[in-house]
Amino acid sequence: MTKKVSSREMGLVLGARLLRTQDLHYGYWEPDLALTLANLPQAQERYTKFLLGHIPQGVRTVLDVGCGTGHVSQILTQKGYQVEAISPSRELTRLARERLGPGFALHATTLEEFRSEKRFDLLLFSESYQYIPLAASFAQARALLKPGGHVLICDFFRTDAPGDSPIKGGHDWRKFQAALAEQPFDVVSDTDITAKTAPNMDLVNTLLGDFAVPVWEAAEYYLTQNYPRMSRLLGWMFRKRLARLRHKYFSNQRTGKAFATYKTYHCILLRMKG
Ligand SMILES: C[S@@+](CC[C@H](N)C(=O)[O-])C[C@H]1O[C@@H](n2cnc3c(N)ncnc32)[C@H](O)[C@@H]1O
């Protein structure tokens, strides 16, 4: 049976279509760049530059885990790295294949299920780390890296701030660090870029307010006016899910401030011992 599309995957596909950006990662907002939707591609380009600036000298082979639309893989290939990529989402894999061409080694699977005889110099997780169970991420890194190979993670983690975060996602930062301490990896560098990435949430919040809320309200009006009984029934059947969606997207709480409270965004370079 074909696997169901999860709501998180749906969010990524929607992001790719709605924003029409080449990347699915956050932007890296520096003071000289105004926080506007028009500037998002430039902020994402800065993120990519910042990220790739952490690739150590001597790396030749890269496994891009969770490659999204394949843009980062494409840039790496153009820079002369030998790249393979992993992509479990059907729709994103289609987009990545289109971009990277038939000769590119694109594996349509999850990292957990990926098997290869090859050993890589670097495993890259550009905002994909949060989707992969911690234990599996380390086990696969150990199996797929050459001795002395590197892992580069750029992603957000959950802080232990009290309260109910309106923004989901991310591994628990403390649990990640505790798990890492048990692994044969040294931390080469760890840069906290929460302040540079949090502004993305203000952008998302504005988008939701300006676009998604009016569309939702108009659809609600149409359904309740034209199909009152059916909309009451659907509203009752899906009441919990709708309440969750309203809380998540329409409560005006998905802000940069909330992000900086509940998340901590890091660019971490690890080196496998031995
Ligand atoms: C936020 S997107 C980031 C895409 C891309 N790396 C970028 O920087 O634009 C997250 C990516 O992780 C992938 N992903 C989700 N679960 C995964 C898993 N278990 N194994 C590998 N990749 C996964 C998604 O399909 C998607 O491509």
mmCIF file of all heavy atoms in Angstrom, residues 8-9 12 22-26 44 47-48 51 64-73 86-90 92-93 107 109-113 124-133 154-155 265, ligand 1:
data_model
loop_
_atom_site.group_PDB
_atom_site.id
_atom_site.type_symbol
_atom_site.label_atom_id
_atom_site.label_comp_id
_atom_site.label_asym_id
_atom_site.label_seq_id
_atom_site.Cartn_x
_atom_site.Cartn_y
_atom_site.Cartn_z
ATOM 1 N N ARG A 8 3.158 16.947 8.218
ATOM 2 C CA ARG A 8 4.441 17.681 8.172
ATOM 3 C C ARG A 8 4.961 17.724 6.740
ATOM 4 O O ARG A 8 5.460 18.743 6.283
ATOM 5 C CB ARG A 8 5.468 17.010 9.082
ATOM 6 C CG ARG A 8 5.077 17.086 10.542
ATOM 7 C CD ARG A 8 6.196 16.607 11.413
ATOM 8 N NE ARG A 8 7.134 17.674 11.703
ATOM 9 C CZ ARG A 8 8.297 17.498 12.268
ATOM 10 N NH1 ARG A 8 8.693 16.291 12.591
ATOM 11 N NH2 ARG A 8 9.104 18.513 12.511
ATOM 12 N N GLU A 9 4.819 16.572 6.028
ATOM 13 C CA GLU A 9 5.265 16.557 4.630
ATOM 14 C C GLU A 9 4.403 17.517 3.811
ATOM 15 O O GLU A 9 4.894 18.243 2.948
ATOM 16 C CB GLU A 9 5.169 15.127 4.068
ATOM 17 C CG GLU A 9 5.662 15.053 2.638
ATOM 18 C CD GLU A 9 5.524 13.672 2.007
ATOM 19 O OE1 GLU A 9 5.371 12.690 2.740
ATOM 20 O OE2 GLU A 9 5.548 13.616 0.771
ATOM 21 N N LEU A 12 5.608 20.975 4.044
ATOM 22 C CA LEU A 12 6.809 21.236 3.232
ATOM 23 C C LEU A 12 6.431 21.420 1.764
ATOM 24 O O LEU A 12 6.921 22.329 1.083
ATOM 25 C CB LEU A 12 7.804 20.077 3.370
ATOM 26 C CG LEU A 12 8.489 19.922 4.724
ATOM 27 C CD1 LEU A 12 9.320 18.649 4.754
ATOM 28 C CD2 LEU A 12 9.351 21.137 5.021
ATOM 29 N N GLN A 22 13.497 28.205 -3.889
ATOM 30 C CA GLN A 22 14.244 27.004 -4.269
ATOM 31 C C GLN A 22 14.592 26.165 -3.056
ATOM 32 O O GLN A 22 14.951 25.009 -3.178
ATOM 33 C CB GLN A 22 15.544 27.402 -4.962
ATOM 34 C CG GLN A 22 15.324 28.377 -6.106
ATOM 35 C CD GLN A 22 16.480 28.327 -7.059
ATOM 36 O OE1 GLN A 22 16.682 27.339 -7.756
ATOM 37 N NE2 GLN A 22 17.253 29.381 -7.087
ATOM 38 N N ASP A 23 14.538 26.802 -1.867
ATOM 39 C CA ASP A 23 14.958 26.123 -0.645
ATOM 40 C C ASP A 23 13.789 25.956 0.308
ATOM 41 O O ASP A 23 12.845 26.747 0.301
ATOM 42 C CB ASP A 23 16.037 26.959 0.065
ATOM 43 C CG ASP A 23 17.247 27.163 -0.815
ATOM 44 O OD1 ASP A 23 17.910 26.166 -1.141
ATOM 45 O OD2 ASP A 23 17.506 28.330 -1.183
ATOM 46 N N LEU A 24 13.907 24.954 1.165
ATOM 47 C CA LEU A 24 12.870 24.750 2.180
ATOM 48 C C LEU A 24 13.404 25.054 3.570
ATOM 49 O O LEU A 24 12.792 24.715 4.559
ATOM 50 C CB LEU A 24 12.352 23.310 2.118
ATOM 51 C CG LEU A 24 11.569 22.969 0.853
ATOM 52 C CD1 LEU A 24 11.121 21.526 0.882
ATOM 53 C CD2 LEU A 24 10.371 23.888 0.686
ATOM 54 N N HIS A 25 14.592 25.640 3.630
ATOM 55 C CA HIS A 25 15.116 25.988 4.952
ATOM 56 C C HIS A 25 14.817 27.457 5.271
ATOM 57 O O HIS A 25 14.384 28.217 4.416
ATOM 58 C CB HIS A 25 16.618 25.703 5.054
ATOM 59 C CG HIS A 25 17.438 26.356 3.972
ATOM 60 N ND1 HIS A 25 18.198 25.634 3.090
ATOM 61 C CD2 HIS A 25 17.628 27.642 3.642
ATOM 62 C CE1 HIS A 25 18.821 26.462 2.274
ATOM 63 N NE2 HIS A 25 18.477 27.689 2.594
ATOM 64 N N TYR A 26 15.082 27.816 6.522
ATOM 65 C CA TYR A 26 14.844 29.189 6.968
ATOM 66 C C TYR A 26 15.804 30.143 6.252
ATOM 67 O O TYR A 26 16.809 29.714 5.689
ATOM 68 C CB TYR A 26 15.109 29.288 8.471
ATOM 69 C CG TYR A 26 13.961 28.823 9.349
ATOM 70 C CD1 TYR A 26 13.174 27.739 9.006
ATOM 71 C CD2 TYR A 26 13.683 29.487 10.540
ATOM 72 C CE1 TYR A 26 12.140 27.322 9.825
ATOM 73 C CE2 TYR A 26 12.646 29.074 11.374
ATOM 74 C CZ TYR A 26 11.885 27.994 11.005
ATOM 75 O OH TYR A 26 10.869 27.591 11.819
ATOM 76 N N GLN A 44 17.640 33.074 2.344
ATOM 77 C CA GLN A 44 17.907 31.629 2.253
ATOM 78 C C GLN A 44 19.260 31.365 1.595
ATOM 79 O O GLN A 44 19.978 30.432 1.952
ATOM 80 C CB GLN A 44 16.791 30.941 1.470
ATOM 81 C CG GLN A 44 15.495 30.875 2.268
ATOM 82 C CD GLN A 44 14.363 30.260 1.468
ATOM 83 O OE1 GLN A 44 14.163 30.605 0.306
ATOM 84 N NE2 GLN A 44 13.609 29.370 2.087
ATOM 85 N N TYR A 47 21.762 31.778 4.180
ATOM 86 C CA TYR A 47 21.777 30.583 5.040
ATOM 87 C C TYR A 47 22.648 29.508 4.386
ATOM 88 O O TYR A 47 23.511 28.917 5.030
ATOM 89 C CB TYR A 47 20.333 30.090 5.216
ATOM 90 C CG TYR A 47 20.157 28.774 5.952
ATOM 91 C CD1 TYR A 47 19.682 28.753 7.264
ATOM 92 C CD2 TYR A 47 20.410 27.551 5.334
ATOM 93 C CE1 TYR A 47 19.488 27.548 7.944
ATOM 94 C CE2 TYR A 47 20.227 26.352 5.996
ATOM 95 C CZ TYR A 47 19.757 26.357 7.294
ATOM 96 O OH TYR A 47 19.569 25.163 7.951
ATOM 97 N N THR A 48 22.426 29.266 3.099
ATOM 98 C CA THR A 48 23.183 28.223 2.396
ATOM 99 C C THR A 48 24.676 28.541 2.426
ATOM 100 O O THR A 48 25.505 27.668 2.676
ATOM 101 C CB THR A 48 22.685 28.083 0.934
ATOM 102 O OG1 THR A 48 21.275 27.905 0.963
ATOM 103 C CG2 THR A 48 23.326 26.920 0.225
ATOM 104 N N LEU A 51 25.951 27.897 5.848
ATOM 105 C CA LEU A 51 26.013 26.442 6.075
ATOM 106 C C LEU A 51 27.228 25.821 5.381
ATOM 107 O O LEU A 51 28.028 25.120 5.996
ATOM 108 C CB LEU A 51 24.715 25.820 5.535
ATOM 109 C CG LEU A 51 24.612 24.305 5.482
ATOM 110 C CD1 LEU A 51 24.417 23.756 6.887
ATOM 111 C CD2 LEU A 51 23.449 23.872 4.587
ATOM 112 N N ASP A 64 23.569 14.244 1.236
ATOM 113 C CA ASP A 64 22.641 15.310 1.623
ATOM 114 C C ASP A 64 21.349 14.635 2.103
ATOM 115 O O ASP A 64 20.546 14.162 1.296
ATOM 116 C CB ASP A 64 22.396 16.215 0.400
ATOM 117 C CG ASP A 64 21.479 17.393 0.702
ATOM 118 O OD1 ASP A 64 21.105 17.576 1.870
ATOM 119 O OD2 ASP A 64 21.132 18.126 -0.264
ATOM 120 N N VAL A 65 21.176 14.607 3.415
ATOM 121 C CA VAL A 65 20.041 13.876 3.997
ATOM 122 C C VAL A 65 18.803 14.779 4.037
ATOM 123 O O VAL A 65 18.816 15.817 4.693
ATOM 124 C CB VAL A 65 20.382 13.398 5.429
ATOM 125 C CG1 VAL A 65 19.213 12.622 6.013
ATOM 126 C CG2 VAL A 65 21.656 12.565 5.435
ATOM 127 N N GLY A 66 17.751 14.376 3.326
ATOM 128 C CA GLY A 66 16.531 15.195 3.283
ATOM 129 C C GLY A 66 16.767 16.410 2.420
ATOM 130 O O GLY A 66 16.841 17.532 2.909
ATOM 131 N N CYS A 67 16.900 16.171 1.113
ATOM 132 C CA CYS A 67 17.421 17.227 0.223
ATOM 133 C C CYS A 67 16.353 18.212 -0.251
ATOM 134 O O CYS A 67 16.679 19.130 -1.018
ATOM 135 C CB CYS A 67 18.132 16.606 -0.975
ATOM 136 S SG CYS A 67 17.002 15.780 -2.108
ATOM 137 N N GLY A 68 15.092 18.048 0.168
ATOM 138 C CA GLY A 68 14.055 19.015 -0.237
ATOM 139 C C GLY A 68 13.916 19.089 -1.742
ATOM 140 O O GLY A 68 13.744 18.073 -2.420
ATOM 141 N N THR A 69 14.061 20.281 -2.297
ATOM 142 C CA THR A 69 13.931 20.451 -3.752
ATOM 143 C C THR A 69 15.260 20.174 -4.465
ATOM 144 O O THR A 69 15.360 20.346 -5.678
ATOM 145 C CB THR A 69 13.500 21.878 -4.109
ATOM 146 O OG1 THR A 69 14.572 22.756 -3.754
ATOM 147 C CG2 THR A 69 12.237 22.304 -3.371
ATOM 148 N N GLY A 70 16.297 19.817 -3.706
ATOM 149 C CA GLY A 70 17.584 19.451 -4.312
ATOM 150 C C GLY A 70 18.505 20.636 -4.580
ATOM 151 O O GLY A 70 19.577 20.473 -5.170
ATOM 152 N N HIS A 71 18.125 21.819 -4.099
ATOM 153 C CA HIS A 71 18.919 23.006 -4.439
ATOM 154 C C HIS A 71 20.318 22.980 -3.816
ATOM 155 O O HIS A 71 21.312 23.289 -4.492
ATOM 156 C CB HIS A 71 18.160 24.276 -4.013
ATOM 157 C CG HIS A 71 18.762 25.523 -4.551
ATOM 158 N ND1 HIS A 71 18.830 26.683 -3.830
ATOM 159 C CD2 HIS A 71 19.355 25.794 -5.752
ATOM 160 C CE1 HIS A 71 19.431 27.613 -4.549
ATOM 161 N NE2 HIS A 71 19.750 27.109 -5.719
ATOM 162 N N VAL A 72 20.379 22.579 -2.530
ATOM 163 C CA VAL A 72 21.696 22.549 -1.870
ATOM 164 C C VAL A 72 22.586 21.490 -2.543
ATOM 165 O O VAL A 72 23.770 21.721 -2.796
ATOM 166 C CB VAL A 72 21.549 22.317 -0.346
ATOM 167 C CG1 VAL A 72 22.908 22.104 0.313
ATOM 168 C CG2 VAL A 72 20.837 23.504 0.310
ATOM 169 N N SER A 73 21.987 20.322 -2.875
ATOM 170 C CA SER A 73 22.742 19.272 -3.589
ATOM 171 C C SER A 73 23.283 19.812 -4.912
ATOM 172 O O SER A 73 24.428 19.521 -5.300
ATOM 173 C CB SER A 73 21.833 18.076 -3.904
ATOM 174 O OG SER A 73 21.740 17.220 -2.809
ATOM 175 N N ILE A 86 19.224 11.938 -0.155
ATOM 176 C CA ILE A 86 18.125 11.108 0.331
ATOM 177 C C ILE A 86 16.868 11.972 0.389
ATOM 178 O O ILE A 86 16.925 13.096 0.891
ATOM 179 C CB ILE A 86 18.453 10.576 1.746
ATOM 180 C CG1 ILE A 86 19.615 9.596 1.671
ATOM 181 C CG2 ILE A 86 17.241 9.939 2.393
ATOM 182 C CD1 ILE A 86 19.973 8.983 3.006
ATOM 183 N N SER A 87 15.764 11.419 -0.109
ATOM 184 C CA SER A 87 14.524 12.187 -0.107
ATOM 185 C C SER A 87 13.326 11.251 0.028
ATOM 186 O O SER A 87 12.987 10.537 -0.901
ATOM 187 C CB SER A 87 14.419 12.981 -1.418
ATOM 188 O OG SER A 87 13.149 13.589 -1.515
ATOM 189 N N PRO A 88 12.676 11.246 1.195
ATOM 190 C CA PRO A 88 11.558 10.310 1.378
ATOM 191 C C PRO A 88 10.220 10.815 0.841
ATOM 192 O O PRO A 88 9.287 10.028 0.709
ATOM 193 C CB PRO A 88 11.481 10.163 2.901
ATOM 194 C CG PRO A 88 12.061 11.415 3.448
ATOM 195 C CD PRO A 88 13.018 11.953 2.429
ATOM 196 N N SER A 89 10.111 12.103 0.539
ATOM 197 C CA SER A 89 8.811 12.649 0.118
ATOM 198 C C SER A 89 8.634 12.482 -1.393
ATOM 199 O O SER A 89 9.483 12.916 -2.169
ATOM 200 C CB SER A 89 8.745 14.133 0.502
ATOM 201 O OG SER A 89 7.892 14.834 -0.372
ATOM 202 N N ARG A 90 7.512 11.872 -1.800
ATOM 203 C CA ARG A 90 7.298 11.628 -3.244
ATOM 204 C C ARG A 90 7.357 12.911 -4.052
ATOM 205 O O ARG A 90 8.034 13.013 -5.063
ATOM 206 C CB ARG A 90 5.931 10.954 -3.472
ATOM 207 C CG ARG A 90 5.965 9.459 -3.336
ATOM 208 C CD ARG A 90 4.694 8.842 -3.901
ATOM 209 N NE ARG A 90 3.479 9.289 -3.228
ATOM 210 C CZ ARG A 90 3.044 8.788 -2.074
ATOM 211 N NH1 ARG A 90 3.709 7.830 -1.478
ATOM 212 N NH2 ARG A 90 1.943 9.238 -1.508
ATOM 213 N N LEU A 92 8.535 15.965 -3.209
ATOM 214 C CA LEU A 92 9.829 16.667 -3.190
ATOM 215 C C LEU A 92 10.863 15.908 -4.009
ATOM 216 O O LEU A 92 11.712 16.508 -4.676
ATOM 217 C CB LEU A 92 10.314 16.876 -1.754
ATOM 218 C CG LEU A 92 9.448 17.791 -0.889
ATOM 219 C CD1 LEU A 92 10.003 17.887 0.525
ATOM 220 C CD2 LEU A 92 9.343 19.186 -1.500
ATOM 221 N N THR A 93 10.785 14.570 -4.005
ATOM 222 C CA THR A 93 11.718 13.770 -4.810
ATOM 223 C C THR A 93 11.504 14.088 -6.293
ATOM 224 O O THR A 93 12.470 14.214 -7.055
ATOM 225 C CB THR A 93 11.504 12.258 -4.548
ATOM 226 O OG1 THR A 93 11.647 12.033 -3.151
ATOM 227 C CG2 THR A 93 12.511 11.405 -5.286
ATOM 228 N N HIS A 107 18.227 9.006 -3.650
ATOM 229 C CA HIS A 107 17.631 7.818 -3.050
ATOM 230 C C HIS A 107 16.285 8.176 -2.434
ATOM 231 O O HIS A 107 16.237 8.961 -1.479
ATOM 232 C CB HIS A 107 18.564 7.238 -1.990
ATOM 233 C CG HIS A 107 19.965 7.024 -2.506
ATOM 234 N ND1 HIS A 107 20.302 5.936 -3.289
ATOM 235 C CD2 HIS A 107 21.091 7.783 -2.405
ATOM 236 C CE1 HIS A 107 21.583 6.021 -3.612
ATOM 237 N NE2 HIS A 107 22.085 7.137 -3.090
ATOM 238 N N THR A 109 14.070 7.463 -0.179
ATOM 239 C CA THR A 109 13.832 6.704 1.051
ATOM 240 C C THR A 109 14.132 7.592 2.260
ATOM 241 O O THR A 109 14.556 8.735 2.098
ATOM 242 C CB THR A 109 14.732 5.435 1.065
ATOM 243 O OG1 THR A 109 14.449 4.695 2.237
ATOM 244 C CG2 THR A 109 16.211 5.772 1.041
ATOM 245 N N THR A 110 13.907 7.049 3.440
ATOM 246 C CA THR A 110 14.286 7.783 4.653
ATOM 247 C C THR A 110 15.735 7.448 4.992
ATOM 248 O O THR A 110 16.255 6.428 4.523
ATOM 249 C CB THR A 110 13.425 7.346 5.862
ATOM 250 O OG1 THR A 110 13.636 5.954 6.078
ATOM 251 C CG2 THR A 110 11.959 7.634 5.637
ATOM 252 N N LEU A 111 16.347 8.251 5.853
ATOM 253 C CA LEU A 111 17.706 7.916 6.294
ATOM 254 C C LEU A 111 17.686 6.586 7.051
ATOM 255 O O LEU A 111 18.584 5.757 6.893
ATOM 256 C CB LEU A 111 18.266 9.021 7.207
ATOM 257 C CG LEU A 111 19.638 8.689 7.800
ATOM 258 C CD1 LEU A 111 20.713 8.671 6.720
ATOM 259 C CD2 LEU A 111 20.022 9.645 8.908
ATOM 260 N N GLU A 112 16.640 6.369 7.840
ATOM 261 C CA GLU A 112 16.562 5.159 8.657
ATOM 262 C C GLU A 112 16.602 3.907 7.784
ATOM 263 O O GLU A 112 17.149 2.879 8.166
ATOM 264 C CB GLU A 112 15.267 5.133 9.488
ATOM 265 C CG GLU A 112 15.054 6.311 10.413
ATOM 266 C CD GLU A 112 14.340 7.469 9.735
ATOM 267 O OE1 GLU A 112 14.919 8.069 8.811
ATOM 268 O OE2 GLU A 112 13.209 7.774 10.136
ATOM 269 N N GLU A 113 15.972 3.992 6.592
ATOM 270 C CA GLU A 113 15.895 2.804 5.735
ATOM 271 C C GLU A 113 17.001 2.744 4.686
ATOM 272 O O GLU A 113 17.133 1.753 3.981
ATOM 273 C CB GLU A 113 14.522 2.773 5.033
ATOM 274 C CG GLU A 113 13.431 2.331 5.997
ATOM 275 C CD GLU A 113 12.037 2.648 5.514
ATOM 276 O OE1 GLU A 113 11.884 3.099 4.365
ATOM 277 O OE2 GLU A 113 11.107 2.447 6.306
ATOM 278 N N LEU A 124 25.180 15.582 5.587
ATOM 279 C CA LEU A 124 24.648 16.933 5.752
ATOM 280 C C LEU A 124 23.162 16.873 6.106
ATOM 281 O O LEU A 124 22.385 16.216 5.414
ATOM 282 C CB LEU A 124 24.830 17.712 4.432
ATOM 283 C CG LEU A 124 24.211 19.105 4.379
ATOM 284 C CD1 LEU A 124 24.926 20.055 5.338
ATOM 285 C CD2 LEU A 124 24.267 19.664 2.963
ATOM 286 N N PHE A 125 22.807 17.562 7.188
ATOM 287 C CA PHE A 125 21.402 17.662 7.588
ATOM 288 C C PHE A 125 21.021 19.140 7.571
ATOM 289 O O PHE A 125 21.232 19.849 8.554
ATOM 290 C CB PHE A 125 21.194 17.144 9.010
ATOM 291 C CG PHE A 125 21.472 15.670 9.187
ATOM 292 C CD1 PHE A 125 22.763 15.214 9.451
ATOM 293 C CD2 PHE A 125 20.450 14.742 9.125
ATOM 294 C CE1 PHE A 125 23.015 13.864 9.639
ATOM 295 C CE2 PHE A 125 20.691 13.386 9.308
ATOM 296 C CZ PHE A 125 21.979 12.948 9.563
ATOM 297 N N SER A 126 20.509 19.611 6.449
ATOM 298 C CA SER A 126 20.093 21.001 6.379
ATOM 299 C C SER A 126 18.607 21.064 6.709
ATOM 300 O O SER A 126 17.756 20.789 5.879
ATOM 301 C CB SER A 126 20.370 21.549 4.973
ATOM 302 O OG SER A 126 19.745 22.797 4.804
ATOM 303 N N GLU A 127 18.317 21.362 7.933
ATOM 304 C CA GLU A 127 16.959 21.427 8.495
ATOM 305 C C GLU A 127 16.170 20.134 8.319
ATOM 306 O O GLU A 127 14.938 20.162 8.210
ATOM 307 C CB GLU A 127 16.194 22.609 7.909
ATOM 308 C CG GLU A 127 15.660 23.515 8.990
ATOM 309 C CD GLU A 127 15.076 24.800 8.470
ATOM 310 O OE1 GLU A 127 13.957 24.756 7.973
ATOM 311 O OE2 GLU A 127 15.749 25.849 8.552
ATOM 312 N N SER A 128 16.874 19.035 8.260
ATOM 313 C CA SER A 128 16.189 17.741 8.136
ATOM 314 C C SER A 128 16.413 16.887 9.384
ATOM 315 O O SER A 128 15.781 15.848 9.540
ATOM 316 C CB SER A 128 16.715 16.990 6.905
ATOM 317 O OG SER A 128 18.121 16.841 6.990
ATOM 318 N N TYR A 129 17.284 17.362 10.262
ATOM 319 C CA TYR A 129 17.663 16.522 11.410
ATOM 320 C C TYR A 129 16.469 16.255 12.337
ATOM 321 O O TYR A 129 16.316 15.166 12.877
ATOM 322 C CB TYR A 129 18.812 17.185 12.181
ATOM 323 C CG TYR A 129 19.440 16.247 13.176
ATOM 324 C CD1 TYR A 129 20.224 15.189 12.744
ATOM 325 C CD2 TYR A 129 19.223 16.392 14.545
ATOM 326 C CE1 TYR A 129 20.782 14.292 13.645
ATOM 327 C CE2 TYR A 129 19.776 15.508 15.448
ATOM 328 C CZ TYR A 129 20.553 14.456 14.986
ATOM 329 O OH TYR A 129 21.093 13.565 15.878
ATOM 330 N N GLN A 130 15.614 17.242 12.472
ATOM 331 C CA GLN A 130 14.480 17.117 13.402
ATOM 332 C C GLN A 130 13.493 16.016 13.008
ATOM 333 O O GLN A 130 12.700 15.567 13.821
ATOM 334 C CB GLN A 130 13.729 18.440 13.494
ATOM 335 C CG GLN A 130 13.207 18.949 12.175
ATOM 336 C CD GLN A 130 12.484 20.286 12.353
ATOM 337 O OE1 GLN A 130 11.341 20.316 12.731
ATOM 338 N NE2 GLN A 130 13.179 21.392 12.076
ATOM 339 N N TYR A 131 13.551 15.573 11.752
ATOM 340 C CA TYR A 131 12.593 14.560 11.287
ATOM 341 C C TYR A 131 13.081 13.138 11.584
ATOM 342 O O TYR A 131 12.344 12.182 11.365
ATOM 343 C CB TYR A 131 12.377 14.697 9.773
ATOM 344 C CG TYR A 131 11.766 16.022 9.382
ATOM 345 C CD1 TYR A 131 12.562 17.114 9.061
ATOM 346 C CD2 TYR A 131 10.381 16.190 9.350
ATOM 347 C CE1 TYR A 131 12.019 18.335 8.721
ATOM 348 C CE2 TYR A 131 9.822 17.410 9.011
ATOM 349 C CZ TYR A 131 10.656 18.478 8.700
ATOM 350 O OH TYR A 131 10.097 19.683 8.371
ATOM 351 N N ILE A 132 14.316 13.013 12.011
ATOM 352 C CA ILE A 132 14.921 11.679 12.124
ATOM 353 C C ILE A 132 15.127 11.314 13.597
ATOM 354 O O ILE A 132 15.707 12.100 14.345
ATOM 355 C CB ILE A 132 16.263 11.653 11.352
ATOM 356 C CG1 ILE A 132 15.950 11.890 9.869
ATOM 357 C CG2 ILE A 132 16.992 10.334 11.541
ATOM 358 C CD1 ILE A 132 17.022 12.537 9.102
ATOM 359 N N PRO A 133 14.644 10.144 14.016
ATOM 360 C CA PRO A 133 14.840 9.760 15.418
ATOM 361 C C PRO A 133 16.323 9.812 15.790
ATOM 362 O O PRO A 133 17.184 9.396 14.994
ATOM 363 C CB PRO A 133 14.299 8.328 15.467
ATOM 364 C CG PRO A 133 13.395 8.200 14.284
ATOM 365 C CD PRO A 133 13.923 9.133 13.235
ATOM 366 N N CYS A 154 22.298 21.617 10.640
ATOM 367 C CA CYS A 154 21.837 22.991 10.825
ATOM 368 C C CYS A 154 20.326 22.881 11.007
ATOM 369 O O CYS A 154 19.590 22.584 10.059
ATOM 370 C CB CYS A 154 22.206 23.828 9.596
ATOM 371 S SG CYS A 154 22.434 25.567 9.958
ATOM 372 N N ASP A 155 19.863 23.068 12.234
ATOM 373 C CA ASP A 155 18.444 22.812 12.500
ATOM 374 C C ASP A 155 18.065 23.397 13.856
ATOM 375 O O ASP A 155 18.936 23.758 14.642
ATOM 376 C CB ASP A 155 18.181 21.302 12.507
ATOM 377 C CG ASP A 155 16.747 20.962 12.098
ATOM 378 O OD1 ASP A 155 15.875 21.851 12.200
ATOM 379 O OD2 ASP A 155 16.506 19.821 11.684
ATOM 380 N N TYR A 265 18.259 27.389 17.574
ATOM 381 C CA TYR A 265 18.673 26.976 16.222
ATOM 382 C C TYR A 265 20.201 26.909 16.166
ATOM 383 O O TYR A 265 20.873 27.896 16.447
ATOM 384 C CB TYR A 265 18.149 27.992 15.199
ATOM 385 C CG TYR A 265 18.029 27.439 13.795
ATOM 386 C CD1 TYR A 265 16.834 27.491 13.100
ATOM 387 C CD2 TYR A 265 19.113 26.861 13.152
ATOM 388 C CE1 TYR A 265 16.717 26.977 11.818
ATOM 389 C CE2 TYR A 265 19.015 26.344 11.885
ATOM 390 C CZ TYR A 265 17.814 26.407 11.223
ATOM 391 O OH TYR A 265 17.720 25.895 9.954
HETATM 392 C C1 LIG B 1 12.686 21.461 5.896
HETATM 393 S S1 LIG B 1 13.077 20.346 4.595
HETATM 394 C C2 LIG B 1 14.746 20.812 4.242
HETATM 395 C C3 LIG B 1 15.095 20.541 2.811
HETATM 396 C C4 LIG B 1 16.520 20.882 2.379
HETATM 397 N N1 LIG B 1 17.512 20.144 3.106
HETATM 398 C C5 LIG B 1 16.786 22.357 2.465
HETATM 399 O O1 LIG B 1 17.715 22.759 3.189
HETATM 400 O O2 LIG B 1 16.080 23.125 1.795
HETATM 401 C C6 LIG B 1 13.211 18.782 5.400
HETATM 402 C C7 LIG B 1 13.621 17.626 4.509
HETATM 403 O O3 LIG B 1 13.782 16.449 5.311
HETATM 404 C C8 LIG B 1 13.218 15.346 4.625
HETATM 405 N N2 LIG B 1 12.930 14.263 5.586
HETATM 406 C C9 LIG B 1 11.870 14.116 6.393
HETATM 407 N N3 LIG B 1 11.970 12.970 7.079
HETATM 408 C C10 LIG B 1 13.135 12.374 6.705
HETATM 409 C C11 LIG B 1 13.785 11.132 7.040
HETATM 410 N N4 LIG B 1 13.262 10.316 7.943
HETATM 411 N N5 LIG B 1 14.946 10.821 6.415
HETATM 412 C C12 LIG B 1 15.503 11.659 5.519
HETATM 413 N N6 LIG B 1 14.922 12.851 5.173
HETATM 414 C C13 LIG B 1 13.758 13.196 5.750
HETATM 415 C C14 LIG B 1 12.004 15.947 3.926
HETATM 416 O O4 LIG B 1 11.521 15.140 2.878
HETATM 417 C C15 LIG B 1 12.611 17.257 3.422
HETATM 418 O O5 LIG B 1 13.292 17.043 2.221
#
